[in-house]
């Protein structure tokens, strides 16, 4: 029997989409039954109380969680978010309900063995509820008590060779798209770069030394399957600088209807016969494609590598061979001054281990931000406040028309004194000799 | 309940301490077909919604079956996933960047048994545990945040509206009839822990009442200067107030300057905003992340406010369903929702989606607002 | 003989384009010779000294004019710009060199009689130099002395039935395109509306009561030949709301090559045979045109009246019959916060004398601006500062999707208390009963 | 020189005073063919560059011959215009919105004699008085401002650079070979008395040295608070300075915050900016005003600075000529310069026009600057 009545939540058990309520209830039951006879280290009714609290929130139209207190594991400034409930007497099971962020593996591939180990650990020492995964990418252990934090960390590191992820004014847990592991569009090995950066910057990840949070995300190509361009202070997006490879025979197969366009992604509706002119050539944003007789031609110099044609005809068109990545900076959510997308900083850099060239850019960006950034100022906000030029100076990157969508339309240029012939010091009395008052 | 030690000794925290080891290395977890063919994939193709395969230079194929799910997930369910992965996939499984689960097999004949197994599993309440779908030109899982299940600042729940919305959109999860893929996201406050600021359709929790001031505790619980500095509109000023006959330090808020962002509450727990009637949902639309054809775009506010109607948020899901259906019928193949709205013009978008245009939707936030007004005679009647 | 040597200016006498230097020199000569035996009311060598001063500026790379003092005619707060030279001893002829702005007629049509009268007046009482015309549209009398201002004004008003234009924090001289007088695209009578508004608002034009300058410009259609959308606080731009009229026979004549596209505007180069698909249908921004057999069809509901197709085929396509204008507000030059284009305020209003509906909008805008505008704040800057909503409230115009290019992308909505159920006043102690600290 | 009274009596300014009569009514000045056919024009057509006719419903035609000219114009030249208008046009003439002169006749046979007359007239120095041209897909007159001929704030001259530029562009004034019309404008300071902020090509005078401070006179000549308030970057502060042993009120300028806009000088003559080496020209490009196809656009800064090289500004004219020629060869029919630059991408614009891209061209003015940076991976190598 459920500890709390949850009439509102119960309504979310119907309908086809997997019901988190049913899942929660099943776990609550399981804990009550406790078939494995675990000596639960947090209250057995933690999930019951979570259900009860959630029901109350549904009724009240408001959260019942309080601000997190400062809890964590020794020597780390992140990885744990404190959480307390504002009705601890009604719901003692969730009076303390901290989360832990477990740094997910690249591409979020798992063995069942590893997952089961985590489950066992978490059943014993936590609520058994998780987020798979948090928005930043971590495996989220949802709900434990302060005294369990070090225990869990100890078991994670000692038994599972597994560290926590980031929170606070740190480097946050980097995350990547599946990329080369299973995707033909990958222009570099996202998993390797992500893993290397995560490990090379463990100190930045665990010990807050930044003005605010900082996020890396790694996308293998401009399709951006990990949305790096929208939500990472530094996005690494694969690209190439030579020609798109064309298999003219396959082009003909698409035209002939033997291969469905876009790998069949539109198959649930009859869109009519594939029309290469309308669907590919005519939709190329740079208009750099054309048919010459039976041959598809691409003026690669004019291509901006938007991926559209490749997405539509993956068997005929392939990314180039001279690959690397673009670095964009400053993406963030709207707080405080409005959201930002990443702005292009490095149009192209090779992405080959040990990635020294990339690390140089990262470190110059950090140095500048740590020097100039105010408390709680994201990189994007600093760039806005001081100007993109300052970022270029700080990173030693030469200004390039690729840095802008368009040149400035106001002429308000802040010239520097050394750029202006004769400098700024002038004698007004000398001037007045030629220009009487 | 007896405390079980992991081996950690609180008196000697540094003893045997292991730190800074990072995550497990990716390739420990690759299924063999992935490990073997990494970097040599040639192309992919869909078999049906939720099912696609990749072909490598070696001739190897990997078949992926994608299933949706609530990302708020119990160990019980994860163990069930492991059971399935052991049975069909050699003990490997992965999650996608949008919280779907992908089961991979290395031959086509393993696909149908896997699907059958997945689709047969249901929760007690009747919902699917592992619905197959979410690929291609359809609707995949909603990325979302914590809501009332764990966070202290939400203006709406996360898992609740997501379940309600996915129930309504379920057919589009199971099919690929749309002009392009359509991403729905939810964030429970405007910290926007996710990419709702550039989603085709975004559900955003929003407050509409300025913070209450818990004067008695404010100076004790908060750093007043930090709370003041947190306000992007400079609505907060230091103030002396009388509580129980005593003058104490606190703050005053100029309510007319408040835009309900909650940043003060983030810095100061004595300034709560949450309110049953004030809180609710903003619907945004037309954002995107990919660089395909057009550059990434921010989502735009298309409905300024809908109330929190727990447990099923019927107005919210109705607006979303309407937008999806109108988009499905009106847009061109490959056209994302935002590209469609821009092509037909936002005035048509509102007309076609039968959404009222209210003054709230006109940008008035800082200088860039100007760029969203209409500086041309080009418009449609 | 020239009074001053002007070696640099002399180099501007060569080359094909009409040389202002030659013109100045000719006038300087003419004044020296004085064939009409005029009793010049300003120094005879005013033009000589202007040449000398200009030569000095060419040498110095700087102006030699000082800030204007406050000069004008009695009872007016504008129409005259004071100007003094900063080397009066070297160039006494231009020591005082004020300009007067004479309100030009609509469409800038003139009779030679009228022009000659102005010339005679100006030869006698001023430098004889003009700007035809000033950037706002006035006839500019360039250079006279303070004692001549009232004389000139008296003669203008008494003899020529002609008033001055605006300057200062006034309504500035309104100006219009040639419109219906000679242009088939005109959607309303620009000259009549311009004339009526100029006369109805003479008080606003002559007596500064505004926070800053305010400009009206009247364009007959979206081609914007008087650039109203870029440089008037209120732009009145003709448009229509029914269907583009199509002469299908003429369409065929264009297709057949009998009529040159765009009235022959590209005739100096061979652009090949006219291609209606490529040049008209394919360039229509709303893609609302198509050929149905031999018939050109327009889905007028989707047309945004950009004028392109009409411009290309003026003999086949004509503006609709249900005509009026759109009002856009706030255009201005970059000082201080960057330039603005006009923003659409009234999508459509009929433009028929006595234009009451239009005047209502104007006056509501002014009331708001005069109430809320800071000193030297243009209307556009006020709209930016207070928000477009405030303008809508002030003018009583209902918000409309046509007011925006796109809805806001930030959710920072300033809700008003009366819009929110239950208001804003809440009892924190009541709240704390349900949400413990 | 004896004072000649107009009849005005300075002792009784209000006697017989006529005010607020406005301009002359437009229709007093219409040529008969215009008066008759106003509002009933059917279409127009070009006969050659500078010459076009309109046909009315009545069947009437009006032929227009357009001539260029310096808008800084003497009464002598206006009288010559009157003479021509009397001879050929029944005593009527008009000016265009870009300071060209239009002679209109009501029959085709009057056209050639008129043109012949116009083209035959030259200034002593050899330049044309009335060159015919400036229509259609060509280059018309440069709209411009006062420059050193009359204004107190210019950073360059107006008439001089205009003459130099039009000499270089003269062939395009006389022809219609361009993809679309191309508007060149000049403003001598950033007050921009004209529409240079949205011209295909704009020549803009700009200062690059912060104001000098004439401390001794500042407080006498200016209202210090107004000068301080005038600065958009808040670079000006009140200050006490010692002049000749006395402490007086003046201002101090934080030079590093100055963007040389000259707004302080507008309010305060004791803060002059002009300087031979500091002042010069900014070249902007890609703006437009019409709503044809694309919405109006602002011009963009494409060359941050060129020196004032009187009398012929050779670097300025060379840059402009280059842009015009590249545009002429590369753009598509009907494509305005800005539309072309956007289609090929600004990175290509700089490459094709052989212009260096410098840091000055990246916007860093306030929040909207962000929107000009590149928020996509789409770019061309
Ligand atoms: C757990 C998580 C949401 C989730 O349900 O998954 C989360 C939860 C919180 N986020 Fe977040 N953020 C989470 C991913 C994000 C993301 C998405 C991302 O990283 O890709 C964003 C948008 C991208 C970005 O960083 O801009 C995000 C933008 C924010 C912001 C706004 C920051 C800004 O500069 O605009 C805040 C506010 C703040 O920092 O004070 C915030 C703050 C918070 C806090 C710490 C609440 C607060 O005000 O202190 C939340 C703690 C809730 C809790 O109880 O755990 N969170 N947060 C995500 C982290 C899980 C993980 O590690 O995997
Ligand atoms: C599995 C996943 C990567 C991962 O590391 O987990 C993935 C996998 C693929 N993506 Fe993606 N994308 C994944 C998230 C994304 C995201 C991120 C997001 O939605 O948050 C985006 C950006 C979304 C946006 O623009 O708003 C994304 C934008 C694309 C696009 C661009 C589509 C477009 O029209 O703009 C393509 C190209 C295509 O669809 O042809 C693409 C293509 C693909 C391909 C076809 C790549 C390949 O050859 O394997 C994969 C199958 C797609 C499918 O879902 O049908 N993927 N893809 C992610 C699946 C999420 C899910 O569970 O549904
Ligand atoms: C004479 C004229 C330039 C010309 O060569 O034709 C002119 C001349 C001056 N303008 Fe202007 N403006 C002239 C049309 C314009 C225009 C164009 C228009 O009206 O279409 C503009 C841009 C549109 C606009 O209003 O935004 C214009 C924008 C300015 C500005 C910037 C205003 C702003 O809000 O951005 C200033 C600065 C100021 O007001 O302090 C200014 C200031 C000035 C002053 C008064 C200089 C000053 O700082 O006090 C100039 C007096 C020069 C003189 O000696 O006569 N002038 N001014 C134009 C008026 C002639 C006429 O009446 O026909
Ligand atoms: C005479 C004049 C109006 C006046 O009241 O004085 C005028 C007259 C005509 N304009 Fe204009 N426009 C005149 C200034 C303008 C301006 C204002 C400006 O440049 O400052 C513009 C906006 C410019 C811009 O967008 O930057 C302008 C944008 C147009 C357009 C749009 C062209 C485009 O490609 O964007 C058209 C349509 C066309 O050319 O087919 C047009 C069309 C016309 C037509 C064909 C209208 C007609 O049927 O009579 C006229 C002959 C055009 C020609 O010059 O070849 N007119 N036209 C102006 C001549 C100025 C001059 O001396 O050169
Ligand atoms: S971002 Fe590109 S490389 Fe990465 S998974 Fe998506 S399509 Fe593949
Ligand atoms: S990648 Fe994009 S820009 Fe390049 S050829 Fe293909 S469709 Fe065109
Ligand atoms: S979006 Fe807001 S309420 Fe939701 S998890 Fe993030 S910080 Fe918490
Ligand atoms: S909610 Fe935001 S705007 Fe309102 S007082 Fe708090 S910080 Fe300021
Ligand atoms: S704005 Fe339109 S109506 Fe006026 S002259 Fe130009 S084309 Fe004709
Ligand atoms: S006016 Fe413009 S939008 Fe309308 S049909 Fe013609 S080209 Fe298309
Ligand atoms: S642009 Fe500047 S310098 Fe030129 S006339 Fe206008 S105010 Fe004077
Ligand atoms: S020139 Fe402009 S920015 Fe510089 S001090 Fe003067 S007002 Fe300020």
């Amino acid at each position: 029997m459920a500890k709390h009545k949850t009439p509102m939540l119960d309504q979310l058990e119907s309908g086809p989409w997997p019901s988190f309520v049913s899942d929660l209830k099943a776990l609550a039951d399981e804990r009550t039954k406790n078939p494995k006879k675990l000596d639960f280290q947090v209250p057995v009714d933690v999930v019951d109380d979570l259900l009860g609290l959630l029901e109350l929130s549904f009724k009240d139209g408001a959260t019942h969680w309080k601000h997190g207190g400062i809890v964590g594991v020794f020597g780390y400034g992140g990885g744990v978010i404190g959480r307390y409930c504002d009705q601890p007497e009604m719901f003692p099971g969730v009076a303390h309900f901290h989360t832990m962020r477990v740094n997910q593996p690249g591409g979020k591939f798992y063995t069942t063995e590893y997952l089961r180990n985590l489950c066992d650990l978490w059943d014993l020492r936590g609520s058994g509820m998780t987020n798979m995964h948090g928005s930043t990418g971590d495996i989220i252990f949802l709900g434990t008590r302060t005294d369990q934090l070090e225990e869990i960390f100890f078991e994670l590191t000692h038994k599972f060779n597994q560290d926590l992820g980031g929170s606070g004014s740190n480097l946050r847990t980097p995350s990547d798209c599946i990329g080369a592991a299973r995707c033909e569009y990958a222009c570099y090995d996202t998993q390797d770069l992500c893993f290397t950066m995560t490990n090379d910057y463990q100190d930045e990840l665990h010990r807050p030394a930044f003005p605010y949070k900082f996020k890396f995300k790694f996308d293998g190509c401009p399709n951006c399957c990990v949305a790096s361009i929208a939500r990472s202070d530094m996005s690494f997006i694969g690209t190439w600088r030579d020609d798109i490879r064309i298999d003219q025979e396959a082009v003909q197969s698409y035209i002939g209807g033997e291969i469905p366009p876009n790998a069949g992604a539109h198959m649930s509706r009859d869109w009519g016969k594939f029309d290469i002119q309308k669907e590919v050539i005519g939709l190329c944003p740079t208009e750099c494609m054309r048919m010459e007789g039976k041959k598809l031609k691409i003026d690669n110099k004019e291509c901006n590598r938007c991926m559209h044609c490749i997405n539509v005809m993956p068997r005929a068109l392939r990314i180039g061979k001279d690959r690397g990545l673009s670095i964009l900076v400053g993406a963030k959510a709207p707080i405080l001054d409005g959201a930002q997308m990443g702005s292009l900083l490095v149009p192209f850099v090779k992405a080959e281990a040990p990635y020294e060239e990339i690390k140089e850019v990262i470190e110059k960006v950090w140095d500048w931000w740590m020097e100039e950034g105010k408390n709680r100022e994201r990189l994007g906000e600093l760039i806005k406040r001081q100007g993109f030029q300052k970022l270029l100076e700080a990173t030693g990157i030469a200004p390039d028309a690729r840095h802008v969508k368009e040149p400035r339309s106001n002429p308000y240029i802040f010239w520097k004194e050394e750029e202006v012939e004769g400098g700024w010091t002038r004698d007004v009395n000398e001037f007045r000799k030629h220009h009487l008052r | 309940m007896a405390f079980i030690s992991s081996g950690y000794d609180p008196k000697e925290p540094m003893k045997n301490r292991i730190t800074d080891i990072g995550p497990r290395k990716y390739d420990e977890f690759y299924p063999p077909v992935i490990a073997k063919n990494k970097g040599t994939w040639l192309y992919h193709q869909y078999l049906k919604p939720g099912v696609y395969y990749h072909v490598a230079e070696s001739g190897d194929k990997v078949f992926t079956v994608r299933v949706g799910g609530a990302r708020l997930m119990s160990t019980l369910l994860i163990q069930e996933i492991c059971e399935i992965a052991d049975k069909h996939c050699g003990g490997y499984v992965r999650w996608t960047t949008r919280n779907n689960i992908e089961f991979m097999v290395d031959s086509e004949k393993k696909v149908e048994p896997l699907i059958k197994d997945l689709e047969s599993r249901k929760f007690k309440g009747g919902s699917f545990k592992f619905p197959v779908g979410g690929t291609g030109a359809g609707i995949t899982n909603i990325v979302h945040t914590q809501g009332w299940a764990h966070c202290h600042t939400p203006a709406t729940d996360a898992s609740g509206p997501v379940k309600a919305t996915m129930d309504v959109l379920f057919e589009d999860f199971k099919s690929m009839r749309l002009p392009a893929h359509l991403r729905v996201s939810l964030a429970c406050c405007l910290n926007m822990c996710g990419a709702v600021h550039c989603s085709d359709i975004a559900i955003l929790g929003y407050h509409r009442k300025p913070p209450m001031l818990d004067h008695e505790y404010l100076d004790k619980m908060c750093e007043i200067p930090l709370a003041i500095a947190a306000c992007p509109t400079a609505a907060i000023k230091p103030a002396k107030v009388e509580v129980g006959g005593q003058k104490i330090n606190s703050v005053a808020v100029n309510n007319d300057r408040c835009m309900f962002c909650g940043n003060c509450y983030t810095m100061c727990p004595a300034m709560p905003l949450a309110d049953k009637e004030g809180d609710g949902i903003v619907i945004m639309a037309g954002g995107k992340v990919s660089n395909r054809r057009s550059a990434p775009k921010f989502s735009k506010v298309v409905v300024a406010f809908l109330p929190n109607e727990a447990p099923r948020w019927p107005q919210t899901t109705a607006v979303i369903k309407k937008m999806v259906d109108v988009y499905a019928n009106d847009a061109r193949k490959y056209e994302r929702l935002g590209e469609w709205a821009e092509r037909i013009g936002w005035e048509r978008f509102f007309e076609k989606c039968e959404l009222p245009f209210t003054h709230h939707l006109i940008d008035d936030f800082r200088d860039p607002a100007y760029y969203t007004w209409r500086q041309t005679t080009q418009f449609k009647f």
Side-chain angles (χ1 to χ4, degrees), chain A, chain B:
Chain A
M1 260 309 297
K3 183 176 170 194
H4 305 281
K5 283 227 182 323
T6 55
M8 292 183 94
L9 287 177
D10 293 352
Q11 295 183 48
L12 290 173
E13 291 203 81
S14 62
W17 187 252
S19 170
F20 68 99
V21 177
S22 299
D23 193 16
L24 278 162
K25 283 184 167 179
L27 183 62
D29 269 7
E30 182 80 0
R31 286 180 77 92
T32 312
K33 289 189 204 129
N34 194 6
K36 291 191 198 155
K37 307 271 175 265
L38 293 179
D39 190 1
F40 292 125
Q41 298 290 297
V42 307
V44 56
D45 53 0
V46 54
V47 181
D48 278 307
D49 277 356
L50 179 60
L51 279 160
L53 186 78
L54 205 48
E55 177 74 13
L56 186 65
S57 282
F58 269 55
K59 220 182 94 215
D60 291 350
T63 192
H64 282 285
W65 298 107
K66 299 203 292 180
H67 256 259
I70 296 164
V71 291
V73 300
F74 188 83
Y76 275 14
V80 181
I81 309 287
R83 187 65 68 218
Y84 304 90
C85 144
D86 71 8
Q87 294 292 13
E89 284 172 28
M90 285 164 76
F91 307 103
V94 293
H96 302 210
F97 199 69
H98 314 318
T99 61
M100 297 188 77
R101 298 182 173 174
V102 178
N103 194 332
Q104 85 289 358
K108 299 189 182 108
F109 283 96
Y110 295 100
T111 55
T112 50
E113 184 207 350
Y114 172 82
L115 284 176
R116 285 205 177 90
N117 283 334
L118 289 191
C119 289
D120 290 344
L121 170 63
W122 192 233
D123 280 336
L124 181 71
R125 299 192 177 276
S127 71
M129 288 307 302
T130 74
N131 285 331
M132 287 299 277
H133 296 74
S135 290
T136 309
D138 292 283
I139 302 164
I140 307 285
F141 280 171
L142 206 60
T144 190
R145 303 178 67 91
T146 312
D147 60 12
Q148 292 302 312
L149 298 172
E150 289 287 0
E151 307 302 320
I152 294 168
F153 180 69
F154 195 91
E155 294 210 32
L156 279 175
T157 49
H158 286 77
K159 290 203 194 147
F160 307 137
N161 187 24
Q162 172 65 54
D163 208 336
L164 294 183
S167 70
S169 291
N170 293 2
L171 175 63
R172 294 304 183 85
T173 312
S175 133
D176 53 15
C177 76
I178 191 170
R182 200 195 58 197
C183 178
E184 69 269 30
Y185 301 147
C187 301
Y188 72 97
D189 187 340
T190 52
Q191 267 125 62
D192 195 58
L193 184 57
C194 181
F195 182 79
T196 308
M197 294 303 114
T198 308
N199 280 356
D200 287 6
Y201 296 120
Q202 280 289 299
D203 196 32
E204 285 74 7
L205 200 152
H206 293 305
R207 288 163 204 94
F210 288 153
Y212 203 6
K213 61 184 77 167
F214 196 96
K215 297 181 180 175
F216 284 157
K217 285 190 168 64
F218 301 91
D219 266 315
C221 83
N223 281 334
C224 279
C225 295
V226 75
S228 67
I229 200 169
R231 54 193 186 111
S232 45
D233 301 87
M234 246 168 140
S235 336
F236 302 83
I237 305 178
T239 196
W240 65 94
R241 55 183 172 186
D242 54 349
D243 293 355
I244 292 175
R245 290 171 290 166
I246 309 182
D247 175 343
Q248 298 289 356
E249 256 174 67
V251 171
Q252 288 308 316
S253 302
Y254 278 103
I255 294 174
E258 292 124 57
I259 315 177
N262 221 115
H266 299 77
M267 62 169 65
S268 311
R269 174 152 148 207
D270 182 5
W271 288 92
K273 192 174 178 310
F274 175 69
D275 178 344
I276 194 171
Q277 185 58 46
K278 210 170 121 192
E279 299 187 34
V280 182
I281 299 175
L283 294 183
C284 166
T286 63
E287 304 176 43
C288 70
M289 311 182 85
R290 64 185 191 287
M291 292 302 292
E292 258 183 42
K294 293 213 136 195
K295 283 214 163 14
L296 177 68
K297 295 278 175 188
I298 299 178
D299 181 0
N300 282 282
K301 192 169 155 30
E302 299 308 316
C303 165
N304 66 18
R305 303 168 313 289
C306 82
M307 295 297 296
H308 175 67
C309 59
I310 304 180
N311 288 335
V312 177
M313 307 198 297
R315 284 170 78 164
L317 301 179
R318 299 179 65 194
I319 57 168
K321 291 184 135 180
D322 184 12
R323 301 171 201 157
L325 54 83
S326 302
I327 305 179
L328 291 89
V329 290
K332 59 175 293 294
I335 287 280
L336 303 172
D337 271 342
Q340 287 189 38
M341 297 277 179
S343 296
L344 184 69
L345 175 63
V346 178
F348 186 89
V349 59
K350 280 284 195 187
E352 280 155 9
Y355 310 110
E356 287 306 330
E357 233 185 307
I358 292 171
K359 290 179 68 174
E360 215 174 282
V361 177
I362 293 171
E363 286 164 26
K364 281 184 179 156
V365 167
W366 281 347
D367 284 349
W368 178 61
W369 179 52
M370 288 169 75
E371 181 75 30
E372 298 288 335
K374 295 186 196 165
N375 179 35
R376 294 193 85 219
E377 185 174 50
R378 292 287 285 264
L379 176 63
E381 289 163 339
L382 172 63
I383 303 173
K384 256 197 183 172
R385 178 164 64 83
Q386 293 207 347
F388 200 86
Q389 280 89 328
K390 287 273 156 58
L391 171 68
L392 291 179
E393 278 171 36
T395 50
I397 294 171
D400 187 307
R402 284 151 202 87
H403 286 130
V404 298
K405 192 179 71 176
E406 60 187 37
R408 67 192 311 148
S409 62
N410 66 72
Y412 294 151
I413 300 168
F414 289 90
W415 289 92
K416 292 183 203 118
E417 182 160 15
E418 60 272 23
E419 292 177 314
V420 182
E421 296 73 11
W424 284 345
T425 318
R426 292 177 287 164
D427 181 353
V428 72
N429 294 315
E430 188 53 37
F431 179 82
R432 285 304 183 201
K433 284 189 196 149
H434 305 280
H435 303 275
L436 310 189
R437 271 178 205 96
Chain B
M1 154 171 120
F3 190 86
I4 303 173
S5 171
S6 60
Y8 170 74
D9 180 355
K11 285 181 208 116
E12 285 190 85
M14 290 311 293
K15 198 171 119 199
N16 287 334
R17 195 168 189 85
I18 300 178
T19 66
D20 299 298
I21 55 172
R24 289 286 281 272
K25 190 157 184 229
Y26 50 89
D27 56 7
E28 293 181 46
F29 294 152
Y30 283 157
V33 61
I34 296 290
K36 177 178 164 206
N37 296 292
K38 181 172 175 183
T40 69
W41 298 101
L42 283 176
Y43 63 87
H44 69 285
Q45 189 146 328
Y46 298 91
L47 289 174
K48 57 179 178 177
V51 188
Y52 57 128
Y53 65 95
H54 289 77
V55 181
E57 281 172 13
S58 66
D60 286 356
K61 292 184 182 177
V62 60
F63 294 83
T64 302
V65 177
R66 180 181 295 175
V67 305
R71 80 156 196 177
L72 178 60
M73 189 173 269
S74 72
T75 46
L76 215 53
L77 199 68
I78 298 174
Q79 278 155 339
E80 191 167 343
I81 292 165
C82 290
E83 178 203 322
I84 299 169
D86 282 345
K87 191 159 133 204
H88 298 275
C89 311
Y92 297 90
V93 64
R94 78 172 288 263
W95 269 257
T96 70
T97 60
R98 295 188 71 91
N99 306 319
N100 285 317
I101 307 151
E102 290 191 333
F103 295 95
M104 284 158 284
V105 294
D106 56 12
S107 100
E108 186 157 4
K109 55 180 197 308
K110 299 183 185 164
V111 172
E112 278 309 320
L114 170 61
I115 295 177
K116 234 181 111 187
D117 190 354
L118 289 166
E119 300 263 30
S120 70
R121 297 175 189 246
K122 293 197 169 186
F123 283 110
K124 247 192 185 165
S127 65
F128 287 102
K129 277 184 174 165
F130 305 111
V132 174
T135 56
I139 293 178
T140 180
N141 210 341
I142 296 181
V143 288
H144 64 88
T145 48
Q146 309 258 51
W148 296 331
H150 198 263
C151 199
H152 64 291
T153 69
T156 191
D157 186 36
S159 304
V162 163
K163 161 73 174 149
T165 305
M166 284 309 290
D167 277 345
V168 167
L169 299 178
F170 194 67
E171 271 170 45
D172 282 312
F173 177 81
K174 301 284 297 176
S175 103
M176 307 198 288
R177 62 146 183 162
L178 299 181
H181 75 204
L182 189 149
R183 303 305 206 211
V184 186
S185 308
L186 177 144
C188 30
C189 86
L190 70 67
N191 284 338
M192 288 200 193
C193 302
V196 327
H197 57 303
C198 22
S199 294
D200 297 276
I201 296 180
I203 307 168
L204 173 67
Y206 209 76
H207 303 289
R208 291 187 307 159
K209 299 196 180 184
M212 281 174 273
L213 303 174
D214 204 349
H215 291 304
E216 201 179 334
Y217 295 84
L218 207 140
D219 197 24
K220 293 173 213 157
M221 292 169 84
C222 318
E223 301 256 19
I224 289 183
L226 287 187
I228 292 170
C231 181
T233 67
I236 309 176
K237 294 260 137 62
K240 293 248 180 226
V241 290
E242 228 187 79
V243 176
Q246 255 190 302
K247 282 262 176 206
I248 55 171
N249 289 327
S250 186
V251 301
V253 172
N254 178 345
N255 285 346
D256 291 329
R257 290 187 75 136
C258 179
M259 60 187 194
F260 325 103
C261 70
N263 206 42
C264 50
Y265 181 59
T266 296
M267 298 311 284
C268 171
M271 299 178 72
L273 288 86
D275 184 272
K276 184 167 185 151
E277 290 164 307
D279 293 359
I281 276 173
V282 175
I283 306 280
M284 302 177 75
K288 71 183 283 255
V289 165
S290 83
N291 293 277
R292 184 178 188 170
R293 290 181 56 219
S294 62
K297 293 182 207 297
F298 291 120
S299 319
K300 320 292 184 290
V301 178
V302 296
V303 179
F305 185 78
L306 292 171
N308 271 330
E309 303 166 307
R312 283 211 167 260
W313 281 263
Q315 290 190 64
T316 295
T317 58
V319 164
I320 293 171
K321 177 73 176 144
K322 177 83 189 175
M323 285 196 289
V324 170
D325 285 342
V326 174
Y327 159 72
N329 291 330
D330 204 65
R332 297 183 185 157
K333 195 175 174 187
Y334 306 113
E335 202 168 47
R336 295 286 296 266
L337 191 139
E339 292 167 339
W340 164 68
E342 285 175 12
R343 177 174 59 78
I344 64 171
W346 283 97
E347 60 271 46
R348 276 288 172 281
F349 172 89
F350 283 94
E351 192 185 299
K352 292 194 182 197
C353 294
E354 293 169 27
L355 292 172
F357 186 88
T358 66
H359 70 88
H360 312 95
L361 310 184
I362 303 177
D363 197 357
D364 58 355
F365 187 66
R366 310 235 162 128
D367 277 17
Y370 163 83
Y371 295 93
T372 68
W373 308 335
R374 193 178 297 253
Q375 277 102 25
T376 169
T377 59
Q378 297 179 0
F379 63 85
K380 297 178 180 182
F381 281 109

